Amino acid sequence: MAESGAAPGTADEASTGERLLWPALRKGFRRKCPNCGSGPLMKSYLKVREACPVCREDLSHQRADDGPAYLTILIVGHIMAPALHIAFVQFRPEPMLLFTIFAVGCAGLSLYLLPRLKGAIVAFQWARHMHGFGAQP
């Protein structure tokens, strides 16, 4: 159990085959290996490593595809649309100033969230034994 201080991949996990979801999601969101939590998950901005350089967990089974982009659009839209409405109604800024601030805000938030959500989706797949992550050697 990773949260209790035991090393990942211990006898408890090996005997039950259970992988805890929330610790894995936190590790994935931090762009770390969902198994050990210390190895980097990504080798570039959005490219997932074939295997963790620390614990050698095979990460090639991941199939994140378009999921991170959809989640990023959903989250950014739900944050920025109400903020845009509030800013317009309360402050009535010049249109070009409003556009500039929210364009930069949307782009920045999207660039921040996209690799983190991809890491979380890969960690979700790993924790739920999806797409070959649960295959026994």
Side-chain angles (χ1 to χ4, degrees), residues 8 15-16 30 42 49 97 100 118:
S15 64
T16 64
R30 289 187 346 246
M42 310 284 191
R49 293 179 181 274
L97 176 66
T100 303
K118 184 164 187 168

Side-chain angles (χ1 to χ4, degrees), residues 12 15 22 31 39-40 44 47 64 71 107 113-114 120 137:
D12 290 342
S15 64
W22 289 106
R31 296 174 297 159
S44 65
K47 182 78 173 161
L71 285 176
L113 285 176
L114 190 57

Side-chain angles (χ1 to χ4, degrees), residues 60-82:
S60 64
H61 304 295
Q62 65 86 21
R63 297 291 176 261
D65 300 331
D66 292 335
Y70 292 136
L71 285 176
T72 299
I73 291 168
L74 181 75
I75 293 169
V76 170
H78 278 83
I79 291 172
M80 297 305 274

Side-chain angles (χ1 to χ4, degrees), residues 7 11 16 19 23 28 37 39 43 45 47-48 50 55-56 62 82-83 103 112 116-118 122 129 133:
T16 64
R19 297 174 179 167
K43 65 180 175 183
Y45 182 65
K47 182 78 173 161
V48 178
E50 294 293 319
C55 68
R56 302 290 179 220
Q62 65 86 21
Y112 175 79
R116 285 158 179 79
L117 290 173
K118 184 164 187 168
V122 171
H129 301 277
F133 277 118

Side-chain angles (χ1 to χ4, degrees), residues 45 76 102-114:
Y45 182 65
V76 170
F102 279 90
V104 170
C106 285
L109 189 57
S110 296
L111 290 172
Y112 175 79
L113 285 176
L114 190 57

